[in-house]
Amino acid sequence: MAVLNAEEIKILKKREAVGYVSAGISAAAFIYFAVCFAVAQIMDLPALRLSTLICAPVIAAVAAAVSAYCNLKFGGKTEKLVAEYVRGVFVENAPLMHPEKEILDFGFCFQGSKVILKVNKFKEEIIFDFSAFGKLSAVRRSSVSAAISNRLSHTFCLLAERGAKYKAVSYTACAGEKQGKPVYIILNGVPDKKAYRAYLKTK
């Protein structure tokens, strides 16, 4: 059964937080530089001007480097875990995706820390449990939505390439009561160009 490792995610979240804090420090250093340098110029304070020119750029550069490192190393690993989990849930629930139908519309909504996905008018639900992350931030929701939509696109472009015939395959994401617009993976029997290009990159 596909599950997310809560302990591993907890560690990754802490390390990602270091990156966010570093990004904040970098931004603060730029603001400090702008304010203090302006004050030094206006009031003709050479010592303040010199210290600002020396300290602020160094602090900003170091903090930006730490932020970039954390985002690349730990943020990337988190995204990979989410993508693997989404793939695992879809594999386990393959029959509920009804790949035998010619027209498919996948709708998924966030309910707390879970994502509920339904296909067409079928009552069965495919459930993605992201409670290991705790409360999902807007950024995390966006990455989860991307992981689900990317997996759907990859799956049906692959099936179409292998000879499966579909008239239309689309997905719709909703946030609360707001329903998004359908995004087509296949329309009129032809894979969407954007979806197909993304699929080719992951082959």
Side-chain angles (χ1 to χ4, degrees), residues 183-198:
V183 177
Y184 284 91
I185 300 168
I186 296 173
L187 184 60
N188 297 324
V190 180
D192 174 77
K193 290 181 180 179
K194 185 177 178 181
Y196 192 68
R197 281 198 301 267

Side-chain angles (χ1 to χ4, degrees), residues 99-102 155-167 169 186 189-191:
E100 75 283 356
K101 300 294 183 181
E102 290 187 335
T155 299
F156 287 95
C157 284
L158 176 62
L159 289 172
E161 191 174 68
R162 291 181 176 177
K165 302 297 181 184
Y166 296 103
K167 291 180 180 178
V169 179
I186 296 173
V190 180

Side-chain angles (χ1 to χ4, degrees), residues 1 6 21 41 56 63 65 143 153-154 159 162 164 178 181 196-197 202:
M1 181 178 179
V21 171
Q41 289 290 86
S143 69
S153 295
H154 183 277
L159 289 172
R162 291 181 176 177
K178 291 184 178 180
K181 293 182 179 179
Y196 192 68
R197 281 198 301 267
T202 60

Side-chain angles (χ1 to χ4, degrees), residues 99-176:
E100 75 283 356
K101 300 294 183 181
E102 290 187 335
I103 298 176
L104 292 165
D105 178 34
F106 295 87
F108 60 92
C109 289
F110 286 87
Q111 293 185 8
S113 59
K114 294 182 179 179
V115 177
I116 311 299
L117 183 144
K118 289 186 177 182
V119 186
N120 293 359
K121 301 296 181 180
F122 294 106
K123 293 182 179 180
E124 298 94 342
E125 297 177 338
I126 298 175
I127 300 173
F128 301 86
D129 187 354
F130 294 97
S131 56
F133 284 101
K135 186 177 179 181
L136 298 179
S137 65
V139 172
R140 187 66 63 202
R141 285 179 175 231
S142 177
S143 69
V144 166
S145 294
I148 292 172
S149 60
N150 288 343
R151 178 47 51 183
L152 285 170
S153 295
H154 183 277
T155 299
F156 287 95
C157 284
L158 176 62
L159 289 172
E161 191 174 68
R162 291 181 176 177
K165 302 297 181 184
Y166 296 103
K167 291 180 180 178
V169 179
S170 63
Y171 63 84
T172 306
C174 67

